[in-house]
Amino acid sequence: MKISKTTKWIAGSVLGVIALLFLTLIVHILLVTPKNYDNNNLQLSRIDFKEPIDSAKAKTINSQLRSVDGIKNTHINIKDGILVYSYDVNKVNADQAFEALIQKGNYKATRFVVTDEMKATGCPIMDRNSFSYRFSNGVQKIFN
């Protein structure tokens, strides 16, 4: 059976694109994964607002929280009323940051605290038994 040049060209192109996408995935995993978890002093915390948040109020909340020493980044999901922020554990803790924000704006909000049951299940983003976790963990082991 004879295979035409067009079919060979298409098959080669598809394989080339797949190889390029796979290489891009490997590079992406290497670039976004922290190199050393032990010396990382950043922590994430969450605040749930019990009142409606619009874009103007979100900007005010962001600027008020960023003015606290040790707060690195903030992000508000306006639709759900959730604020996620990172902070340096050597300068401030989650309770201090929350209290500072509430004092500055007197907001109706609660600090999200992870329960022991949630801690036992591990990372909520990635299941340790999933292909995604095993693949990215394998790539890190190869290059570290």
Side-chain angles (χ1 to χ4, degrees):
M1 183 169 137
K2 190 173 184 181
I3 301 175
S4 70
K5 288 183 179 181
T6 306
T7 305
K8 289 180 183 178
W9 185 83
I10 290 172
S13 297
V14 168
L15 289 175
V17 167
I18 290 171
L20 184 63
L21 289 173
F22 183 75
L23 181 64
T24 303
L25 175 64
I26 298 296
V27 170
H28 172 74
I29 290 170
L30 292 173
L31 291 176
V32 300
T33 307
K35 302 295 182 231
N36 187 352
Y37 294 104
D38 296 334
N39 293 329
N40 195 346
N41 295 325
L42 289 180
Q43 185 75 359
L44 288 176
S45 283
R46 172 176 146 182
I47 297 173
D48 297 335
F49 287 90
K50 307 297 181 194
E51 60 186 272
I53 304 291
D54 60 7
S55 60
K57 197 173 202 178
K59 287 181 182 179
T60 303
I61 292 169
N62 272 332
S63 65
Q64 288 173 337
L65 189 58
R66 284 185 186 148
S67 69
V68 176
D69 186 38
I71 301 296
K72 300 296 181 187
N73 294 309
T74 61
H75 175 74
I76 294 184
N77 181 334
I78 295 172
K79 180 182 142 206
D80 296 328
I82 295 172
L83 166 68
V84 178
Y85 60 96
S86 63
Y87 58 94
D88 185 341
V89 296
N90 294 326
K91 294 183 179 180
V92 68
N93 65 38
D95 290 324
Q96 292 169 337
F98 176 73
E99 290 301 322
L101 178 66
I102 297 302
Q103 287 176 1
K104 290 181 181 193
N106 197 20
Y107 301 108
K108 295 176 188 162
T110 58
R111 192 172 86 73
F112 180 79
V113 179
V114 179
T115 64
D116 289 336
E117 182 181 331
M118 291 172 157
K119 289 178 188 176
T121 60
C123 179
I125 296 172
M126 192 174 289
D127 178 17
R128 289 186 180 266
N129 295 321
S130 70
F131 172 76
S132 300
Y133 174 80
R134 288 182 281 150
F135 179 77
S136 60
N137 193 32
V139 168
Q140 281 300 314
K141 285 181 180 177
I142 289 170
F143 291 99
N144 284 339

